[in-house]
Amino acid sequence: MTGDTRTSFKLAFAQLNPVVGDIEGNLDMARKARASLGKADADLIVFTELYLTGYPLEDLVLKPALQLAAREACQALARETADGGPALLMGLPWGEGDAVYNAVALLAEGRIEAVRYKVILPNYGVFDEKRVFASGPIPAPIEFRGLSLGVPICEDIWTDEICQALVEAGAEILVVPNGSPYWMGKQATRYEVAETRVAETRRPLAYLNQVGGQDELVFDGGSFVLNADGELAVQLPAWEEALVVTEWRREDSGWHCLTEPVAAVEEGEAANYLACVVGLRDYIDKNGFPGVVLGLSGGIDSALVAVMAVDALGADRVHCVMLPYEYTSQESLSDAETIAKALHVRYDILPIHEGVDGLSKCLEDVLKGAPGDFTLENLQSRTRGTLLMAISNKLGPLVLTTGNKSEVSVGYATLYGDMNGGFNPLKDLYKGQVYALSRYRNVHRPKGCLGPDGLIIPESVLTKDPSAELKPGQRDVDSLPPYPVLDDILNCLVEQEMPVPEIIARGHAPEIVKKVEKMLYLAEYKRRQAAPGVKITERNFGRDRRYPITNKFRERT
């Protein structure tokens, strides 16, 4: 520690939404944040983990040209701190020889004054940092204008080793830049981890998290400060960018953050809904799509996707299309029209009779004498998918697919049909959650959402039996267990990896459990070809749960 003469300190949080690979754009946002926070006399502005390049980078971080561009941007920003304004703690990848580190750099007095590396590299779930980063040594505190800052990076606070070492070396405040993605209950886990480190070290902890979507991941922000006694002194909002200056005073017991009004952080259905909206918005905007198009069937799944799309992008960027065939009910036609009118979106009706009949006639000779099966049903779905893709090709909007996690789990979807699309907001939501979020949105209009207030999804959509309407009188329960039963079994199999005998012991029929297990395994080849979608649960398909396609294992009961 350089001394204890300093008695006050202003630490600013830059809770921003960086874009992976857009170094110039992220640099411009950082400059604007510095100019704004400088007016509030901030001493130091902390940015999130790997802010300068965006996070997560995956294998892009191994590209030497990206490492060089990030270093040059960091050096340019460092030179600008010679103006006497706020210093910066900037996250970026840092190449040294053959190694690349997940690093944070102190930019002050016109230069890069210090660099520290992340030590504990997560290698579970959505994280595989050991694949691309080298682990740094135990870091020393960063000395800054009369105080000693410990700067553990994200995962470094999830065990006691790094924070304890920093405090033993003289750290007075722990400043933690993060790239911590959302899943249900994550904020409570962050509080628990941070509170544990504060209790162990008896040091205040400033936790900064990024906000916004990056492919399947969405980051919820929700940055906060805990004082050394565990008091929640500052709580930034979730799901939105924020620039906030926190004020600190040195007291007899050490540094203390002055309390600020604590923002309410959304939980439960509100958080899940905003995760889907923010993830969808950023996927569309960051990838440069003008808008989205989707099939609006009159069912619950496409209804919720349509509402989320309008909430994310605005009605003028959403195109809904009803694609009826002879099995489409009048109720579905009416419900789809009602939803489209409530949302004020462009709505077209494209009957698919000619397309399906033409394909059927084309196959007539080849399939003559073959036994009946699902082929005609799949042709309907694939005709719809082809028409939506044609609209996308010609007009530019991204096709949204609308299958929920219950259907995705058991393969109750058609490849190159209703699975067509570039993004799926419902991919990690079970059917029961789809109903819950639909009812939630009919009552609440969450912050930042661009859609209308009030009831949007008719009660008839919420109460009718789910059906793909691909044959007369069809209902989902003809092929699947009732969704409450299916969802519970899938939760046991997917989220908990629960042994089959234990699932049966919960009261489920053995033959149903085995059927669902078989469907889950057999559908892996479909999931490998599915569109990406927002991660909501702890075990989403693709990044968290990675199963082989070829798999003969089945549990004994």
Side-chain angles (χ1 to χ4, degrees), residues 471-489:
K471 62 182 180 181
Q474 184 181 38
R475 300 184 306 160
D476 288 3
V477 291
D478 298 336
S479 304
L480 302 173
Y483 280 111
V485 174
L486 178 62
D487 285 358
D488 187 66
I489 294 172

Side-chain angles (χ1 to χ4, degrees), residues 265-286:
V265 174
E266 291 79 8
E267 299 176 336
E269 288 158 3
N272 287 345
Y273 191 86
L274 283 169
C276 293
V277 169
V278 171
L280 172 58
R281 178 186 296 145
D282 277 352
Y283 192 84
I284 299 303
D285 288 345
K286 290 181 179 181

Side-chain angles (χ1 to χ4, degrees), residues 297 322-333 352-353 356-357 376-378 380 384 467-474:
S297 70
M322 161 56 85
L323 300 141
Y325 190 57
E326 61 185 87
Y327 308 126
T328 303
S329 68
Q330 184 58 47
E331 183 181 31
S332 292
L333 287 164
I352 65 170
H353 301 75
V356 175
D357 294 347
L376 177 60
E377 296 179 34
N378 289 340
Q380 295 170 57
R384 291 180 172 115
S467 171
E469 294 191 330
L470 298 173
K471 62 182 180 181
Q474 184 181 38

Side-chain angles (χ1 to χ4, degrees), residues 26-284:
N26 297 337
L27 184 61
D28 183 59
M29 278 200 299
R31 286 174 170 140
K32 291 176 179 177
R34 184 171 185 265
S36 175
L37 293 166
K39 294 175 183 177
D41 297 324
D43 293 302
L44 177 66
I45 306 169
V46 57
F47 291 82
T48 50
E49 181 178 10
L50 294 175
Y51 167 83
L52 203 49
T53 54
Y55 177 84
L57 286 163
E58 302 184 59
D59 285 6
L60 180 61
V61 76
L62 300 176
K63 202 168 187 64
L66 178 121
Q67 298 171 28
L68 177 61
R71 182 78 68 94
E72 290 175 346
C74 184
Q75 291 168 339
L77 197 56
R79 288 192 291 271
E80 294 171 20
T81 62
D83 63 3
L88 309 174
L89 272 176
M90 179 59 63
L92 75 158
W94 193 272
E96 285 289 349
D98 294 332
V100 186
Y101 297 95
N102 184 332
V104 62
L106 173 64
L107 315 182
E109 314 301 333
R111 60 186 179 271
I112 300 174
E113 289 207 331
V115 179
R116 297 293 184 268
Y117 301 144
K118 188 174 184 176
V119 181
I120 300 175
L121 303 176
N123 202 50
Y124 56 87
V126 301
F127 305 107
D128 53 4
E129 290 192 24
K130 288 184 179 180
R131 171 186 171 88
V132 293
F133 288 114
S135 176
I138 300 294
I142 293 176
E143 306 302 329
F144 175 72
R145 299 179 187 174
L147 60 93
S148 186
L149 301 174
V151 189
I153 301 172
C154 200
E155 195 79 9
D156 285 343
I157 72 165
W158 286 67
T159 62
D160 61 358
E161 177 187 11
I162 307 305
C163 291
Q164 197 63 48
L166 285 164
V167 169
E168 289 174 359
E172 300 169 279
I173 302 172
L174 298 174
V175 179
V176 191
N178 291 267
S180 177
Y182 173 80
W183 57 76
M184 291 187 296
K186 186 67 173 293
Q187 186 73 353
T189 303
R190 295 181 190 124
Y191 287 145
E192 182 180 350
V193 169
E195 288 165 355
T196 300
R197 298 290 86 80
V198 166
E200 291 168 348
T201 62
R202 299 189 297 280
R203 296 293 188 277
L205 185 149
Y207 183 105
L208 174 67
N209 192 27
Q210 78 176 53
V211 68
Q214 169 59 28
D215 296 344
E216 298 103 322
L217 301 183
V218 63
F219 298 85
D220 49 324
S223 307
F224 58 89
V225 175
L226 295 180
N227 274 319
D229 60 1
E231 172 197 30
L232 180 64
V234 175
Q235 174 64 69
L236 273 62
W239 306 111
E240 60 185 77
E241 293 185 312
L243 299 175
V244 173
V245 175
T246 63
E247 297 194 43
W248 299 70
R249 296 285 184 272
R250 187 192 292 276
E251 300 179 349
D252 291 342
S253 58
W255 284 95
H256 182 84
C257 182
L258 304 184
T259 57
E260 300 282 347
V262 172
V265 174
E266 291 79 8
E267 299 176 336
E269 288 158 3
N272 287 345
Y273 191 86
L274 283 169
C276 293
V277 169
V278 171
L280 172 58
R281 178 186 296 145
D282 277 352
Y283 192 84
I284 299 303

Side-chain angles (χ1 to χ4, degrees), residues 468-529:
E469 294 191 330
L470 298 173
K471 62 182 180 181
Q474 184 181 38
R475 300 184 306 160
D476 288 3
V477 291
D478 298 336
S479 304
L480 302 173
Y483 280 111
V485 174
L486 178 62
D487 285 358
D488 187 66
I489 294 172
L490 289 172
N491 179 69
C492 294
L493 288 170
V494 176
E495 313 299 330
Q496 302 181 49
E497 292 287 0
M498 186 181 292
V500 166
E502 292 184 22
I503 302 174
I504 294 170
R506 291 168 65 89
H508 296 297
E511 66 274 13
I512 298 297
V513 175
K514 292 300 291 182
K515 176 184 177 180
V516 172
E517 180 200 35
K518 180 180 179 181
M519 295 174 78
L520 175 66
Y521 285 151
L522 291 179
E524 186 64 39
Y525 80 100
K526 289 187 178 183
R527 289 191 290 273
R528 294 287 184 96
Q529 300 178 67

Side-chain angles (χ1 to χ4, degrees), residues 411-426:
Y412 194 62
T414 303
L415 274 177
Y416 326 120
D418 57 326
M419 290 180 67
N420 270 11
F423 197 75
N424 181 1
L426 306 186

